[in-house]
Amino acid sequence: MARRPGKNFLFVPGPTNVPERVLRAMMVSQEDHRSPIFPELTKPLYEGLKKVYKSKDGQVFIFPSSGTGGWEAALTNTLAPGDKVLTARFGQFSHLWVDMAQRLGLDVQIQEEEWGTGAHEEKIEEALVADKNHEIKAVMVVHNETATGVTSNIGAIRKAMDAAGHPALLFVDSVSGLGSIDFRFDEWKVDCAVSGSQKGLMLPAGLGFVCVSQKALGLRKNAGLNKVYFDFQDHINTNPSGYFPYTPATNLLHGLRESLACIEEEGLENIFRRHHVLAEATRRAIDAWGLKLCAKSPRWHSDTVSAIVAPEGIDAAKIIRHAYDRYNLALGAGLSKVAGRVFRIGHLGDLNELMLLGAIAGAELSMLDNGVKIKAGSGVGAAQEYLRDNPIEAQAAAPKAA
């Protein structure tokens, strides 16, 4: 294949763009992960991650895995075979977590929701109130469903659980939310929060994170599900001294140290604002095209990914393939029930206004080439107008030219 000049525009909802300084931080010689100085790298990572989770009381575990490994760790270290868990299924990743729980031998009570919506806190409260004998041991919720561009309200779900007076654990998948959308582990009394390295933490895939409450940690002795690689106890035995129970992903740990420094320098609240502004600019572009989001209402809008419904008779997969082949733009594909019906623009991680405008422009070009009836430049123009009035830094907008 001939060389393609310029940079690939990566606008899938993960993996995301990795900052140059993080890439450089990972370019280190291999080292002894049992050396006397290795803890100087590892020990600060746990405190840095706790800040991102907004937790003082939780304990963070780092696994050489994807977020899927974090799912398995959360379930197997706290639950026993046959335990009943409650969850809402409304997208590909909530479906996959259900599948894992069932394959591990859990009794999964599923609330089926329309794709394009999320977890309904009022339905969760009803189910918990009806569970008089407290047979439900955990509630599992996907914070941000990338397949449909939907964010569920974890704070509202915690309030619903409290209103029901139910002791169930709260498990949250925030793989595509943590570090991009506000997450409050302690305030929302989350028990296990799962995430991964390749989204808001701006790293390559390969690290899975779980932040665990003291309540959940206390259940380890009664957790009867089989586990070896993901056993919390092995990490509890080794992590305090700065080591791991097996070979860690050392280069990724160097990258994590630098990505946490990036997050600290920008500030979490500024990061959340930046993601919201860029997401809203994308939504303005979609409105200008006359297209619709998969998310059914603003209640569900995600600030990390927009899943855009292709017009009737248009194959979204062709828009995605053409964008890649012709314009070197990677857009997210539709998954499972929405395959061929939506294409996705991921707007999370290390990006700014001009990067986003490039993605919007590329999406316009591919849609036009595939017969979508939109006006060239309409989405770019709408996004520009919004971005000019809403700088991603929390500061006064520059005066407009006369």
Side-chain angles (χ1 to χ4, degrees):
M1 183 177 178
R3 175 184 176 273
R4 304 183 72 178
K7 184 177 180 179
N8 173 254
F9 271 60
L10 181 64
F11 276 84
V12 298
T16 63
N17 296 285
V18 178
E20 292 291 334
R21 58 187 277 190
V22 174
L23 290 172
R24 290 194 296 271
M26 292 188 291
M27 295 179 66
V28 294
S29 299
Q30 295 303 292
E31 62 192 304
D32 177 10
H33 60 281
R34 305 195 190 284
S35 75
I37 64 170
F38 194 67
E40 296 174 13
L41 166 65
T42 59
K43 283 186 175 181
L45 299 179
Y46 299 103
E47 291 305 313
L49 284 167
K50 285 172 69 171
K51 289 180 181 179
V52 179
Y53 275 106
K54 292 189 176 180
S55 178
K56 292 182 179 179
D57 301 326
Q59 183 163 345
V60 173
F61 298 96
I62 303 173
F63 295 97
S65 74
S66 66
T68 304
W71 285 352
E72 187 163 332
L75 298 176
T76 57
N77 283 277
T78 57
L79 300 172
D83 276 355
K84 182 175 288 187
V85 296
L86 173 68
T87 189
R89 179 160 59 187
F90 47 85
Q92 177 68 358
F93 295 96
S94 52
H95 167 72
L96 290 174
W97 206 5
V98 166
D99 177 66
M100 174 185 284
Q102 291 173 332
R103 289 163 69 180
L104 287 171
L106 298 172
D107 179 3
V108 187
Q109 181 177 329
I110 304 169
Q111 296 179 338
E112 298 286 2
E113 304 293 358
E114 182 182 10
W115 284 37
T117 68
H120 289 71
E121 57 269 16
E122 64 277 9
K123 293 183 181 180
I124 290 173
E125 182 176 346
E126 289 173 7
L128 294 177
V129 168
D131 181 31
K132 302 297 184 183
N133 295 325
H134 294 169
E135 294 179 0
I136 296 171
K137 302 303 180 184
V139 176
M140 296 166 33
V141 185
V142 171
H143 182 204
N144 190 75
E145 175 57 72
T146 54
T148 54
V150 161
T151 299
S152 293
N153 189 332
I154 305 302
I157 290 168
R158 166 44 67 191
K159 289 180 181 178
M161 294 175 68
D162 289 347
H166 199 289
L169 300 169
L170 175 57
F171 293 170
V172 181
D173 164 357
S174 193
V175 173
S176 60
L178 189 73
S180 303
I181 302 172
D182 194 12
F183 192 87
R184 308 177 188 184
F185 185 90
D186 286 355
E187 182 179 330
W188 296 338
K189 292 182 284 186
V190 179
D191 290 294
C192 288
V194 176
S195 196
S197 54
Q198 76 277 20
K199 309 275 187 173
L201 288 168
M202 303 175 291
L203 288 162
L207 295 178
F209 310 112
V210 189
C211 189
V212 186
S213 71
Q214 296 305 310
K215 175 183 175 181
L217 285 173
L219 298 174
R220 295 194 316 284
K221 293 181 180 179
N222 299 322
L225 293 173
N226 290 333
K227 53 196 168 292
V228 178
Y229 188 79
F230 295 110
D231 196 327
F232 286 164
Q233 190 60 51
D234 292 340
H235 285 256
I236 289 170
N237 293 342
T238 54
N239 289 171
S241 59
Y243 299 101
F244 291 84
Y246 35 65
T247 306
T250 54
N251 291 61
L252 285 173
L253 295 179
H254 281 278
L256 177 59
R257 177 169 62 182
E258 193 65 24
S259 72
L260 290 172
C262 291
I263 291 169
E264 181 79 15
E265 289 170 20
E266 185 175 0
L268 271 177
E269 301 309 315
N270 293 328
I271 290 171
F272 301 151
R273 172 182 166 76
R274 173 167 59 83
H275 279 76
H276 177 72
V277 168
L278 296 175
E280 186 58 31
T282 306
R283 292 189 280 264
R284 297 296 176 97
I286 296 163
D287 287 343
W289 293 331
L291 301 181
K292 300 293 184 182
L293 288 166
C294 186
K296 299 299 181 183
S297 72
R299 170 186 178 181
W300 305 113
H301 285 174
S302 168
D303 280 351
T304 66
V305 56
S306 294
I308 303 157
V309 180
E312 192 70 28
I314 300 293
D315 184 353
K318 291 183 178 179
I319 294 172
I320 297 164
R321 180 59 188 264
H322 185 75
Y324 188 84
D325 289 343
R326 174 74 188 275
Y327 301 111
N328 207 9
L329 167 64
L331 298 171
L335 302 174
S336 188
K337 289 185 180 181
V338 294
R341 294 173 50 205
V342 308
F343 65 93
R344 298 177 294 156
I345 298 177
H347 33 75
L348 74 159
D350 185 44
L351 76 159
N352 58 29
E353 296 105 318
L354 295 185
M355 293 168 70
L356 178 67
L357 289 170
I360 292 171
E364 280 190 358
L365 288 167
S366 188
M367 284 191 287
L368 287 163
D369 293 348
N370 280 276
V372 180
K373 304 299 183 183
I374 60 172
K375 182 180 178 182
S378 58
V380 174
Q384 284 178 327
E385 286 298 316
Y386 179 80
L387 291 169
R388 291 181 66 206
D389 292 334
N390 295 272
I392 58 176
E393 291 90 6
Q395 60 187 25
K400 293 183 178 179

